[in-house]
Amino acid sequence: MYPDRVVSGMRPTGAMHLGHYHGALKNWIRMQSEQHCLFFVADWHALTTHYDDPGIVERSTWDMVVDWLAAGIDPSQATIFIQSRVPEHAELHLLLSMATPLGWLERVPTYRDQIENLATKDLATYGFLGYPLLQAADVLIYRASEVPVGEDQLPHVEMMREIARRFNHIYGKEKGFEEKALEAVRKLGSKRAKLYLELRTDYQQDGKDEALEQARAMLEDAGSLSNIDRERLFGYLEGSRKLILVEPQAILTESSRLPGLDGRKMSKSYGNAIGLREDRASVVKKIRTMPTDPARVRRTDAGDPKRCPVWQLHEVYSDQPTRDWVVKGCTSAGIGCIECKQPVIDGVLAEQEPMQERAQQYLDDPSLVRAIVADGCDKARRLAQETMRDVREAMGISYT
Ligand code: SF4
């Protein structure tokens, strides 16, 4: 079978902040030493929503790679590349689009959510509708075994699995296999044969896992089958013996959420973010002027950390003795808010310091970043080309 691979990408639509670091990059850093990881700058994905402002995509792409390297992504362990530099993604996207029902794309929940959330943009475009299919191509082209995702992305991975299954079903048949399988189906007897074929369709076309389970159980019980026929029917149930695209597993990432300066989710559009490599003076100023418990108007008023966004940052950056000091000092008005914020400032700066240091060499010599990306693109492209050879052959368009 294919080696374990993890594929994940990020859209270059602006500067990265510490919320990205805690939400995704820390997971990437952990995974890169465990499996072969391919991390890509999803510039085509960025264009699906920023097609009218491509400048931001270009600017953010290189900054994003520097941010990844600064955060600790190690190019000697992980493959770092830019999506559009591996045009095979687009080819697979196109070929998959031939057999992907429109309804599969329209029912992806994030499609409707995004259209509503970004009401000021015209997203009734062909590219935006195809976004999840492009995502499927990004992953399937590397025959990835795993995709790290947040909960909101689970339907996308489910769709990738359905697309791979459908592709294998339509294009993965082996010579003579189908005839032998159908002969074995007949041996089940007419009633069970009919049920088997119905369950197979339910599983392959609609992705119903329970149909697969039911059909497998029926085959286990079918005394009329020889072992070899039973094996054939297990294989036929899942499509064919020839697996061209691999169904990836979603790995739900436990992302520690870093709240923004106002307690809401950290986001550039809320204006509550701290940049991954933001300069020291600006970080100090931002945290010093953060809102606190609104009930604590004067220094002598007692406060409640649960109503204070600073406390949420203490939960990420402070150790237990410091947190105890905050709770005691806040609820008794024993400490002032500026005093309380200092350990958070120290924690954020300590986290950023090694990132600033690592980033410096790449800022001093941008050709290093270009070389890392060029190398990553080459590696990714070789893997993508292997898959595309098989895909073209299976679809009858290799013309050799
Ligand atoms: S003392 Fe700390 S936790 Fe309490 S209101 Fe001030 S900043 Fe918030």
Side-chain angles (χ1 to χ4, degrees), residues 237-256:
L237 200 51
E238 292 189 60
S240 81
R241 299 292 168 100
K242 203 167 168 191
L243 211 65
I244 301 152
L245 298 177
V246 174
E247 287 183 45
Q249 295 290 335
I251 302 298
L252 207 52
T253 48
E254 272 301 316
S255 57
S256 48

Side-chain angles (χ1 to χ4, degrees), residues 17-18 261 266 272-276 278 283 286-287 348 352:
H17 52 64
L18 289 176
L261 295 163
M266 189 177 278
N272 64 1
I274 300 175
L276 199 84
E278 190 156 337
V283 171
K286 276 186 176 174
I287 299 176
V348 171
Q352 287 177 316

Side-chain angles (χ1 to χ4, degrees), residues 349-371:
L349 293 177
E351 183 168 77
Q352 287 177 316
E353 203 180 308
M355 298 193 205
Q356 306 270 23
E357 279 171 19
R358 274 194 292 263
Q360 200 53 49
Q361 56 171 319
Y362 300 112
L363 297 174
D364 292 343
D365 183 0
S367 70
L368 289 175
V369 186
R370 302 289 201 269

Side-chain angles (χ1 to χ4, degrees), residues 292-293 296 305 308 310 326 330 337 340:
T292 59
D293 175 1
R296 222 182 156 196
C308 177
V310 180
V326 172
C330 179
C337 291
C340 176

